Amino acid sequence: MDLRDRVIVALDVPDVAAAEAVVAKLGNRATFYKVGYELAFAGGLDFAQRLAKSGKKVFLDLKLHDIPNTIEKGVGQIARMGMTFLTVHAYPQTLAAAANGAAGSPLGILGVSVMTSMDDGDLARAGYGMGVQDLIARRAQQIQESGCPGIVCSATDMATVRNAVGHSLTIVTPGIRPAGSALGDQKRVMTPGEAIRVGIDHMVIGRPITGAEDPAAAMQAVLDDIQSQS
Ligand code: C5P
């Protein structure tokens, strides 16, 4: 894998002009971008398509979940947009329908394991009969069974995922902080080098790069840290 493809820059910005400014500043250093709700619903879907046409890889983080027919048709449209990754919530029906919708295209479906905002008490309140780690393990297995290629999980859930499915899924992880950068609202973090050492395939990094005084230098520091561990 091109080392640059390991870093997915989260374009968590309010409008397309701000996103274009980040992309211009990063130039050839960045090959992979994530578009989430904030940008997607401010013209970001057309922008994502343009970005893909310009040769960048795009991860559309829409965390879809609906009845199978709706998921399959919607995912088919996203596959035609030239996206590289798309998230869906990791329910068996949704995973299977998304796999069907993406079939025959390069779009990779990532199952969202358990939102990191949920703890055991939140799961109990929502009616689940198991805790967070057990649910992550179950969902990792169900993602694998669905044929979807990847999982989004926190770095701290890596061991649970590996125990459940070995090395069979592409692991995509947020919560990465270069040494010395602000934590923001992230609580359990790893540096880019540590993330590579524990076997994360792609890391999602937002504010430490997009909010830096010199985003290109911040990106280069991330790439250097990964290179030193590769
Ligand atoms: O700016 P920062 O590097 O914290 O951005 C991380 C990105 O990963 C954001 O787009 C955020 O929504 C996403 N994310 C996260 N934690 C999760 C799931 C997704 O930070 N548990």
Side-chain angles (χ1 to χ4, degrees):
M1 191 194 304
D2 183 330
L3 189 133
R4 297 173 300 172
D5 283 350
R6 295 207 175 274
V7 183
I8 303 179
V9 178
L11 289 170
D12 296 325
V13 293
D15 54 46
V16 170
E20 284 171 341
V22 172
V23 172
K25 280 184 193 148
L26 295 181
N28 285 334
R29 286 188 175 86
T31 53
F32 215 145
Y33 287 98
K34 179 168 93 77
V35 173
Y37 291 161
E38 184 182 9
L39 181 58
F41 302 128
L45 296 178
D46 286 341
F47 166 76
Q49 255 178 300
R50 287 201 302 281
L51 200 55
K53 281 211 180 85
S54 78
K56 303 295 185 190
K57 296 186 173 68
V58 184
F59 167 7
L60 214 47
D61 190 11
L62 295 183
K63 299 186 180 70
L64 301 182
H65 184 46
D66 207 315
I67 60 169
N69 179 62
T70 304
I71 290 292
E72 185 174 336
K73 299 279 165 48
V75 170
Q77 302 286 33
I78 291 168
R80 283 185 279 282
M81 288 167 62
M83 301 294 103
T84 296
F85 284 155
L86 167 73
T87 39
V88 305
H89 283 284
Y91 289 79
Q93 281 190 347
T94 296
L95 291 165
N100 284 340
S105 83
L107 177 65
I109 302 297
L110 307 177
V112 177
S113 53
V114 178
M115 307 296 298
T116 48
S117 54
M118 305 279 278
D119 62 18
D120 289 349
D122 294 310
L123 289 183
R125 264 195 299 286
Y128 290 88
M130 63 178 76
V132 169
Q133 291 306 314
D134 287 340
L135 187 56
I136 290 171
R138 174 182 290 215
R139 288 188 165 166
Q141 281 159 357
Q142 290 172 333
I143 293 168
Q144 184 188 33
E145 284 158 17
S146 74
C148 291
I151 185 166
V152 179
C153 66
S154 89
T156 49
D157 299 332
M158 281 284 293
T160 301
V161 171
R162 278 281 153 75
N163 283 338
V165 298
H167 290 260
S168 60
L169 295 177
T170 296
I171 297 183
V172 180
T173 300
I176 304 295
R177 287 290 176 269
S181 67
L183 290 185
D185 47 8
Q186 300 284 6
K187 295 199 175 102
R188 293 182 301 274
V189 300
M190 279 190 187
T191 65
E194 284 166 348
I196 292 299
R197 269 208 303 283
V198 301
I200 286 164
D201 296 292
H202 300 274
M203 58 193 87
V204 176
I205 309 182
R207 290 161 292 180
I209 294 173
T210 57
E213 217 163 282
D214 182 348
M219 179 74 187
Q220 190 59 50
V222 168
L223 295 175
D224 291 345
D225 192 15
I226 292 175
Q227 175 86 62
S228 73
Q229 301 299 328
S230 302

